[in-house]
């Protein structure tokens, strides 16, 4: 018995925010943003568009792509740091809206590595016999926790969702998944208030503590070492050489991180997927959005080997080696 990726989906808000729009909001320039990050524009959710809206659309598309119905799904895992509410989980909202019945549904918080964490849990659910088909969604509306007066962070992030259906199969599709965390670095990328440590108060609102805070330089430094290292480990566990990887889809955090990771892995840039210019950093959603896009473009063929890797808040990081089994 093996586990395969049977379907992929993605959903993005319609509203586009360009670097030129940002020039009017904070002291920045298209030139600075482009050279430092590779981002040209990003999608922004409307006031009446919560994360669940994009999660449901991406999930629906992934289920259809798998040739399944929502009732065939045995569990829903939503990776996000911007759920609709603290509780109930966005997973419960998705399962209810898609009329999936009384199946397990929950959220996981693993920052930008959330989708790989979700894939790892889904893989274990299926291998242990608890489920046949699991829907994994990565979704963020980071614009809602972005401080639009802070030029060091507001130029980076975007909104959207991506999803995958993992299913039991006679073939093997998930060759390896490795996930890791180091909580001692938590405050290098975090949202200070709104939890039990610092509940919402007049003080927290006044001091802008409900926004994402990041030490960009430190996060960068760790991302460019952890992502290649865990990718190498996952490749080794899968018994795959980097030269046999058809496409590397890294978390889209910064084009400089993507290029550096590609170089450290020794893979040519024409086999490294990037769409950060159009969507910015969509955290847990970035890998499945990019994956669906590459698939739509015909860049992935049956039996191709795909490498995925991410790094983010926690710190968390991870990598997966997947053999594409769809025709
Ligand atoms: O998804 C995982 C989580 N996130 C990441 O992986 C992000 C990781 N970090 C990064 O991508 C980069 O560190 C940033 C893009 C956030 C920043 O790039 P950097 O090359 O590390 O710039 P820096 O923070 O060292 O800042 C360089 C200069 C500073 O000015 P001084 O001190 O040299 O005078 C900043 O004040 O650029 C200034 N700066 C800006 N200038 C124009 C910072 N933000 C901006 C801006 N526009 N938006």
């Amino acid at each position: 018995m093996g586990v395969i990726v049977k379907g992929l989906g993605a959903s993005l808000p319609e509203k586009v925010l360009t670097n030129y729009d940002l020039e009017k909001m904070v002291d920045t320039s298209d030139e600075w943003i482009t050279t430092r990050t590779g981002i040209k524009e990003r999608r922004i959710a409307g006031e009446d568009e919560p994360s669940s809206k994009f999660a449901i659309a991406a999930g629906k598309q992934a289920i259809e792509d798998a040739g399944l119905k929502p009732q065939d799904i045995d569990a829903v895992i939503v990776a996000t740091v911007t759920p609709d509410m603290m509780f109930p989980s966005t997973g419960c909202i998705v399962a209810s809206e898609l009329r999936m019945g009384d199946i397990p549904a929950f959220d996981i918080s693993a920052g930008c590595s959330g989708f790989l964490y979700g894939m790892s849990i889904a893989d274990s659910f299926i291998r242990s016999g608890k489920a046949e088909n699991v829907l994994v969604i990565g979704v963020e509306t980071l614009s809602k926790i972005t401080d639009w007066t802070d030029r060091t962070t507001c130029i980076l992030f975007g909104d959207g969702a991506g999803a995958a259906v993992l299913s039991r199969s006679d073939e093997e599709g998930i060759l390896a998944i490795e996930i890791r965390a180091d909580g001692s670095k938590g405050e290098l990328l975090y949202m200070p208030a709104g939890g039990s440590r610092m509940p919402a108060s007049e003080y927290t609102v006044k001091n802008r503590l409900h926004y994402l805070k990041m030490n960009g330089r430190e996060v960068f430094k760790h991302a460019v070492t952890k992502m290649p290292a865990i990718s190498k480990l996952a490749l080794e566990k899968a018994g795959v050489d980097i030269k046999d990887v058809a496409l590397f889809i890294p978390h889209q955090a910064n084009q400089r991180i993507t290029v550096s990771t590609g170089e450290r892995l020794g893979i040519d840039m024409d086999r490294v997927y990037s769409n950060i210019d159009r969507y910015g950093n969509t955290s847990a959603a970035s890998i499945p959005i990019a994956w669906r896009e590459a698939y739509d473009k015909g860049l992935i063929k049956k039996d191709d080997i795909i490498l995925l890797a991410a790094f983010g808040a926690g710190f968390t990081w991870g990598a997966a080696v997947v053999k594409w089994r769809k025709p």
Side-chain angles (χ1 to χ4, degrees):
M1 190 208 73
V3 179
I4 60 164
V5 176
K6 210 173 191 175
L8 291 173
S11 169
L12 289 143
E14 273 174 27
K15 188 183 165 196
V16 174
L17 185 78
T18 67
N19 291 349
Y20 298 107
D21 296 325
L22 281 163
E23 284 182 355
K24 294 178 200 131
M25 296 161 65
V26 287
D27 180 15
T28 191
S29 65
D30 171 58
E31 201 267 331
W32 192 95
I33 302 171
T34 306
T35 52
R36 297 284 178 140
T37 71
I39 303 166
K40 298 297 281 183
E41 59 185 46
R42 65 290 288 145
R43 300 298 180 91
I44 303 291
E47 261 176 43
D48 58 347
E49 293 182 314
S51 288
S52 61
K53 175 179 172 174
F54 306 104
I56 290 163
K60 218 167 150 212
Q61 191 184 37
I63 294 167
E64 279 164 16
D65 186 42
L68 298 173
K69 291 191 281 306
Q71 294 71 31
D72 298 323
I73 300 296
D74 305 308
V76 178
I77 303 168
V78 174
T80 186
V81 296
T82 46
D84 282 24
M85 296 164 269
M86 289 277 276
F87 67 89
S89 72
T90 302
C92 286
I93 297 168
V94 171
S96 164
E97 289 291 322
L98 291 180
R99 297 188 165 72
M100 289 170 156
D102 298 343
I103 58 164
F106 53 95
D107 291 358
I108 52 167
S109 172
C112 304
S113 315
F115 184 74
L116 294 180
Y117 269 66
M119 275 184 63
S120 179
I121 298 166
D123 182 67
S124 304
F125 260 52
I126 296 167
R127 287 187 202 279
S128 66
K130 276 194 194 313
E132 196 170 330
N133 303 300
V134 180
L135 176 63
V136 182
I137 300 172
V139 63
E140 303 291 1
T141 46
L142 291 169
S143 64
K144 316 243 182 191
I145 59 162
T146 294
D147 184 345
W148 293 103
T149 66
D150 174 10
R151 69 172 185 172
T152 68
T153 54
C154 78
I155 52 110
L156 287 172
F157 300 105
D159 301 338
V165 174
L166 270 65
S167 298
R168 188 162 68 206
S169 169
D170 296 335
E171 293 182 306
E172 191 55 277
I174 308 291
L175 306 186
I177 305 188
E178 292 295 321
I179 50 173
R180 298 285 187 279
D182 175 5
S184 71
K185 309 280 189 314
E187 293 189 2
L188 294 171
L189 174 49
Y190 76 136
M191 189 172 86
S196 59
R197 187 179 291 189
M198 211 187 280
S201 67
E202 205 180 324
Y203 172 85
T204 61
V205 173
K206 221 184 244 172
N207 288 281
R208 311 185 78 76
L209 299 174
H210 295 273
Y211 293 122
L212 176 160
K213 314 277 177 198
M214 179 172 71
N215 180 333
R217 268 183 220 185
E218 281 301 310
V219 176
F220 192 103
K221 239 171 50 194
H222 285 87
V224 295
T225 53
K226 297 287 193 214
M227 270 169 56
I230 198 146
S231 298
K232 282 179 188 165
L233 181 68
L235 286 167
E236 196 185 303
K237 293 230 167 149
V240 170
D241 193 283
I242 188 71
K243 70 173 176 3
D244 297 321
V245 171
L247 195 64
F248 173 37
I249 306 176
H251 163 51
Q252 310 283 305
N254 183 323
Q255 187 62 14
R256 285 156 52 213
I257 295 177
T258 293
V259 170
S260 166
T261 304
E263 280 169 1
R264 286 174 198 230
L265 284 172
I267 185 167
D268 296 337
M269 278 309 285
D270 61 354
R271 287 187 288 138
V272 181
Y273 196 77
S274 172
N275 62 6
I276 194 164
D277 57 330
R278 282 168 293 124
Y279 305 130
N281 178 347
T282 57
S283 186
S286 90
I287 288 177
I289 290 172
W291 199 351
R292 173 73 207 203
E293 208 175 69
Y295 168 52
D296 283 339
K297 286 183 177 170
L299 296 177
I300 304 169
K301 308 209 170 25
K302 187 162 192 313
D303 295 330
D304 273 356
I305 304 258
I306 300 159
L307 172 67
L308 314 171
F311 181 87
F315 287 158
T316 58
W317 61 101
V321 182
V322 177
K323 191 160 190 171
W324 188 250
R325 294 297 193 172
K326 279 171 74 70

